[in-house]
Amino acid sequence: MIYPSGRAVWLAVAGILPAFVIALMLPALWYLGLAWTCAVLGFTLIDVVAAPARSTITAEISSTGRVAIGNVIDLRVTIHQQRAAARRVELRIGHDNRIIPLTADTATISLPDTSVTLPFRAERRGIAAVDRLWLRWRGPFGLAWQQTTLPVGHGIAVMPDVERVREQAIALLQSDALTGDLARKRGGRGREFDSLKDYQPGMERRFIDWKRSARHGQLLAKDFEVEQNNNIVLAIDSGRLMCEPLDGMPRIDRAVTAAMLMAFVALRGGDLVSLFSFDSRPRVSTGASRGADRFQMLQRLAAEIDYSTEETNFTLALTTLAGKLTRRSLIVVFTDFVDPVSAELMLRVTGRLTERHVVLFMLMRDEELEGLADAVPETLDHVARAVTAGAMLRDRDLVIGRLKLLGADVIEADHKTIGASLIARYLAIKRMDRL
């Protein structure tokens, strides 16, 4: 795109008054009044020709590629010129609302500099798209702008506050109880052979090693080590209800943070962890990962779980998830519901899942709703709010009760303690050898 600069416009406007005076005082020589405007136009055309062509200037954007919510990330823009003709290049970065500029999303690069750094703050979790870059420069007279738009396609993974997750997870790992649970070998009905021991009344006969018993002249039974590579699935509901705010932050962001804490601890404990998200249909689905070094990969995939305005389809999502699982797993479902009608389909598919897997529902208490139900009413509007809130809480308790009857575990905790509550239940399930 080529268009006149502000300097050219003001110079052209400055010739209007002299042209009017000439036309008024010397009508026969009215055309002399156009000389100034024609001169400005001529120099503008020369400026266009003398300016560097748009094909000779390119640019690229670089960054670390990931940032935690609330933190600052620097975007570095580097200009490449085939010849140093444009001594001053102005630029503007096109981005979505997941990141916002701290100062401005525009900058100017003057030779001999070839790059500039702009700070942005991450506001919303997800993949922030930096999709285009506008560049413009003027010719030697400064009368015409040359502008070009470059597609960038640069993505920034805006993730939960990973450092806080790490600190909380490390604090839990350093506690005596957790360290002992993850480090010591526990005997049980696992698949990996550990040792032989004397057969005791009450043991199952299928564990007797008849060959070694005959060799030693006494009954010996096989003792198996409980498996440490359990399969953990973190299923996150990203539907409309989970995107509503809770104490100033969407529920889904708090769920993702708790899921990352669970993933960090489980990977450190030798278990297999996979991530699954859904709203009206499955969105993010990963294979099972093992090892602490896979945590960064799960972080980036968690950033791809987007906010949604669609209703959650539990039947499609959980049925799809069940079809992917080939072994008994711990399925942790981060979700929310408001009444038995909307949760009916969830209850049906949960009944089928609990026949083969351990299903754990992670719910966040709605303190605002509880406050409305417990508040002392002063007006009729307050009474109506309290009655409605109390009815919603009773319906919620009804759904939770039905989930427990179906064999599912349910945790309903404050949003500040959901991570610790989840880890405690995860360890309890492992101690009971339910996997």
Side-chain angles (χ1 to χ4, degrees):
M1 179 185 297
I2 301 174
Y3 55 92
S5 66
R7 180 184 300 179
V9 172
W10 283 111
L11 287 174
V13 170
I16 294 177
L17 182 59
F20 178 75
V21 173
I22 292 174
L24 185 64
M25 299 183 64
L26 301 172
L29 300 176
W30 62 269
Y31 52 86
L32 295 178
L34 300 177
W36 178 261
T37 302
C38 292
V40 172
L41 179 60
F43 277 100
T44 302
L45 294 176
I46 294 174
D47 213 33
V48 171
V49 175
R54 283 172 287 177
S55 60
T56 62
I57 299 180
T58 60
E60 62 179 4
I61 295 179
S62 59
S63 69
T64 57
R66 59 184 182 180
V67 62
I69 293 178
N71 291 355
V72 176
I73 184 171
D74 292 330
L75 296 184
R76 185 177 182 85
V77 182
T78 304
I79 302 296
H80 302 284
Q81 300 188 58
Q82 292 183 6
R83 64 180 188 275
R87 303 192 59 83
R88 183 183 177 92
V89 178
E90 297 183 5
L91 61 92
R92 181 178 181 182
I93 299 176
H95 56 88
D96 60 19
N97 60 358
R98 287 183 172 84
I99 56 174
I100 61 172
L102 289 182
T103 54
D105 54 6
T106 59
T108 301
I109 299 178
S110 301
L111 292 179
D113 296 334
T114 59
S115 63
V116 65
T117 300
L118 298 176
F120 285 78
R121 185 175 68 246
E123 289 291 311
R124 298 180 60 195
R125 187 186 43 76
I127 303 298
V130 182
D131 54 357
R132 64 187 64 188
L133 181 66
W134 289 276
L135 301 176
R136 70 174 187 174
W137 58 92
R138 293 184 292 188
F141 301 119
L143 299 177
W145 286 108
Q146 294 268 7
Q147 180 171 309
T148 183
T149 304
L150 302 178
V152 178
H154 185 73
I156 300 173
V158 182
M159 303 175 296
D161 192 349
V162 177
E163 292 304 320
R164 188 171 66 85
V165 170
R166 286 181 182 273
E167 292 174 1
Q168 188 177 3
I170 291 173
L172 289 171
L173 286 169
Q174 289 176 344
S175 66
D176 294 337
L178 181 55
T179 303
D181 269 330
L182 294 180
R184 68 185 178 92
K185 295 183 178 181
R186 295 178 289 116
R189 298 183 180 182
R191 297 181 180 179
E192 186 174 349
F193 174 76
D194 184 40
S195 61
L196 288 173
K197 63 181 180 180
D198 293 337
Y199 177 81
Q200 302 294 332
M203 290 184 177
E204 296 187 28
R205 293 184 179 180
R206 60 191 181 96
F207 292 146
I208 298 176
D209 190 330
W210 296 104
K211 291 183 178 180
R212 289 182 174 82
S213 296
R215 185 180 306 164
H216 290 82
Q218 60 179 350
L219 284 179
L220 298 175
K222 295 179 181 179
D223 189 24
F224 295 90
E225 180 184 338
V226 174
E227 294 180 81
Q228 297 298 311
N229 60 336
N230 300 297
N231 196 38
I232 313 296
V233 181
L234 304 174
I236 302 176
D237 175 8
S238 60
R240 177 182 61 84
L241 289 177
M242 285 294 288
C243 294
E244 293 182 355
L246 179 62
D247 194 17
M249 182 183 293
R251 285 178 169 85
I252 186 173
D253 287 341
R254 301 188 185 279
V256 169
T257 301
M260 290 297 98
L261 174 61
M262 172 80 171
F264 186 86
V265 174
L267 290 172
R268 290 288 296 269
D271 287 335
L272 302 169
V273 179
S274 58
L275 193 64
F276 183 79
S277 75
F278 58 95
D279 49 13
S280 61
R281 61 184 179 87
R283 298 293 181 179
V284 176
S285 181
T286 70
S289 301
R290 186 178 184 182
D293 58 331
R294 305 297 292 172
F295 182 62
Q296 291 187 354
M297 182 270 292
L298 290 177
Q299 291 175 23
R300 185 169 183 85
L301 292 173
E304 298 180 8
I305 302 176
D306 205 352
Y307 305 91
S308 175
T309 58
E310 301 181 14
E311 295 293 339
T312 303
N313 188 337
F314 288 101
T315 302
L316 176 61
L318 297 183
T319 302
T320 302
L321 175 60
K324 294 177 179 291
L325 300 176
T326 58
R327 53 177 292 191
R328 183 175 176 83
S329 307
L330 170 60
I331 304 174
V332 184
V333 184
F334 299 85
T335 187
D336 195 15
F337 41 78
V338 293
D339 56 74
V341 177
S342 61
E344 186 63 35
L345 295 176
M346 179 185 68
L347 292 169
R348 293 180 182 178
V349 69
T350 300
R352 293 192 291 269
L353 279 176
T354 54
E355 295 176 358
R356 184 180 179 187
H357 306 284
V358 179
V359 182
L360 172 60
F361 281 86
M362 192 72 227
L363 310 177
M364 284 169 271
R365 292 175 52 194
D366 195 330
E367 296 179 354
E368 182 179 359
L369 195 62
E370 293 177 356
L372 290 174
D374 297 337
V376 177
E378 298 178 356
T379 64
L380 291 178
D381 288 340
H382 292 167
V383 173
R385 292 194 188 105
V387 171
T388 303
M392 294 177 67
L393 290 174
R394 287 192 297 272
D395 290 341
R396 182 185 180 91
D397 291 339
L398 177 61
V399 175
I400 292 175
R402 294 184 61 184
L403 285 172
K404 292 180 179 179
L405 288 175
L406 291 171
D409 289 22
V410 181
I411 298 178
E412 188 178 18
D414 182 80
H415 65 272
K416 298 177 182 178
T417 61
I418 57 173
S421 301
L422 178 59
I423 296 304
R425 183 63 61 89
Y426 159 68
L427 294 176
I429 291 174
K430 293 191 70 172
R431 279 195 300 268
M432 293 184 290
D433 298 336
R434 295 177 57 187
L435 295 175

Coordinates of all heavy atoms in Angstrom, one line a residue, residues 314-316 318-319 322 331 345-357 359 406:
F314 N -21.3 -34.8 27.7 CA -20.6 -35.8 28.5 C -20.6 -37.2 27.8 O -19.7 -37.9 27.9 CB -21.2 -35.9 29.9 CG -20.9 -34.8 30.8 CD1 -21.8 -33.8 31.0 CD2 -19.7 -34.7 31.4 CE1 -21.5 -32.7 31.8 CE2 -19.4 -33.6 32.2 CZ -20.3 -32.6 32.4
T315 N -21.7 -37.5 27.2 CA -21.9 -38.8 26.5 C -20.8 -39.0 25.5 O -20.1 -40.0 25.5 CB -23.3 -38.9 25.9 OG1 -24.3 -38.8 27.0 CG2 -23.4 -40.3 25.3
L316 N -20.7 -38.0 24.6 CA -19.7 -38.2 23.5 C -18.3 -38.2 24.0 O -17.4 -39.0 23.7 CB -19.9 -37.0 22.5 CG -18.9 -36.9 21.3 CD1 -18.9 -38.2 20.5 CD2 -19.1 -35.7 20.5
L318 N -17.0 -38.7 27.2 CA -16.5 -39.8 28.1 C -16.6 -41.2 27.4 O -15.8 -42.1 27.7 CB -17.3 -39.8 29.4 CG -17.2 -38.6 30.3 CD1 -18.0 -38.8 31.5 CD2 -15.7 -38.3 30.6
T319 N -17.5 -41.3 26.4 CA -17.5 -42.5 25.6 C -16.3 -42.6 24.7 O -15.7 -43.7 24.6 CB -18.8 -42.6 24.8 OG1 -20.0 -42.5 25.6 CG2 -18.9 -43.9 24.0
A322 N -13.4 -43.5 27.0 CA -13.4 -44.9 27.4 C -12.9 -45.8 26.2 O -12.3 -46.9 26.5 CB -14.8 -45.3 27.8
I331 N -9.4 -42.0 36.2 CA -9.9 -40.9 35.4 C -10.4 -39.8 36.3 O -11.3 -40.0 37.1 CB -11.1 -41.4 34.5 CG1 -10.7 -42.6 33.6 CG2 -11.6 -40.2 33.6 CD1 -11.8 -43.2 32.8
L345 N -27.1 -37.1 31.7 CA -26.3 -37.9 30.8 C -24.9 -38.2 31.3 O -24.4 -39.3 31.0 CB -26.2 -37.1 29.5 CG -27.5 -36.8 28.7 CD1 -27.2 -35.9 27.5 CD2 -28.1 -38.1 28.2
M346 N -24.4 -37.3 32.1 CA -23.1 -37.6 32.8 C -23.3 -38.8 33.7 O -22.4 -39.6 33.8 CB -22.7 -36.3 33.6 CG -21.4 -36.5 34.3 SD -21.0 -35.1 35.3 CE -22.3 -35.2 36.6
L347 N -24.4 -38.9 34.4 CA -24.6 -40.0 35.4 C -24.6 -41.3 34.6 O -24.1 -42.3 35.1 CB -25.8 -39.8 36.2 CG -25.8 -38.6 37.2 CD1 -27.2 -38.3 37.7 CD2 -24.8 -38.9 38.3
R348 N -25.3 -41.3 33.5 CA -25.4 -42.6 32.7 C -24.1 -43.1 32.3 O -23.8 -44.3 32.4 CB -26.3 -42.3 31.5 CG -27.8 -42.0 31.9 CD -28.6 -41.8 30.7 NE -30.0 -41.5 31.0 CZ -31.0 -41.2 30.1 NH1 -30.6 -41.3 28.8 NH2 -32.2 -40.9 30.5
V349 N -23.3 -42.2 31.7 CA -22.0 -42.7 31.2 C -21.0 -43.0 32.3 O -20.2 -43.9 32.2 CB -21.4 -41.7 30.2 CG1 -21.0 -40.4 30.9 CG2 -20.2 -42.3 29.4
T350 N -21.2 -42.3 33.5 CA -20.3 -42.6 34.6 C -20.5 -44.0 35.1 O -19.6 -44.7 35.5 CB -20.6 -41.6 35.7 OG1 -20.3 -40.3 35.2 CG2 -19.7 -41.9 36.9
G351 N -21.8 -44.5 35.1 CA -22.1 -45.8 35.6 C -21.4 -46.9 34.8 O -20.9 -47.9 35.3
R352 N -21.2 -46.6 33.5 CA -20.5 -47.6 32.6 C -19.0 -47.5 32.9 O -18.2 -48.5 32.8 CB -20.8 -47.4 31.2 CG -22.3 -47.7 30.8 CD -22.5 -47.7 29.3 NE -22.3 -46.4 28.7 CZ -23.3 -45.5 28.6 NH1 -24.6 -45.9 29.0 NH2 -23.2 -44.4 28.0
L353 N -18.5 -46.3 33.1 CA -17.0 -46.1 33.3 C -16.6 -46.8 34.6 O -15.5 -47.4 34.7 CB -16.7 -44.6 33.4 CG -16.5 -43.9 32.0 CD1 -16.2 -42.4 32.3 CD2 -15.4 -44.5 31.2
T354 N -17.4 -46.7 35.7 CA -16.9 -47.2 37.0 C -16.9 -48.7 37.0 O -16.3 -49.3 37.9 CB -17.9 -46.7 38.1 OG1 -19.3 -47.0 37.7 CG2 -17.8 -45.2 38.3
E355 N -17.5 -49.4 36.0 CA -17.4 -50.9 36.0 C -16.0 -51.3 35.7 O -15.6 -52.5 36.1 CB -18.3 -51.4 34.9 CG -19.8 -51.1 35.2 CD -20.7 -51.6 34.0 OE1 -20.2 -52.0 33.0 OE2 -21.9 -51.4 34.2
R356 N -15.2 -50.5 35.1 CA -13.8 -50.9 34.7 C -12.7 -50.0 35.3 O -11.6 -50.5 35.5 CB -13.7 -51.0 33.2 CG -12.4 -51.5 32.7 CD -12.3 -51.5 31.2 NE -11.0 -52.0 30.7 CZ -10.6 -52.0 29.4 NH1 -11.4 -51.6 28.5 NH2 -9.4 -52.4 29.1
H357 N -13.1 -48.7 35.4 CA -12.0 -47.8 35.8 C -12.4 -47.1 37.2 O -13.5 -47.3 37.7 CB -11.9 -46.7 34.8 CG -11.7 -47.2 33.4 ND1 -10.5 -47.6 33.0 CD2 -12.5 -47.3 32.3 CE1 -10.5 -48.0 31.7 NE2 -11.8 -47.8 31.3
V359 N -13.1 -43.7 38.8 CA -13.5 -42.4 38.3 C -13.5 -41.5 39.5 O -14.2 -41.7 40.5 CB -14.8 -42.5 37.6 CG1 -15.2 -41.1 37.1 CG2 -14.8 -43.5 36.5
L406 N -23.1 -44.7 42.2 CA -22.6 -45.3 41.0 C -21.2 -45.9 41.2 O -20.6 -46.5 40.2 CB -22.7 -44.4 39.8 CG -24.1 -44.0 39.3 CD1 -24.0 -42.9 38.3 CD2 -24.8 -45.3 38.8

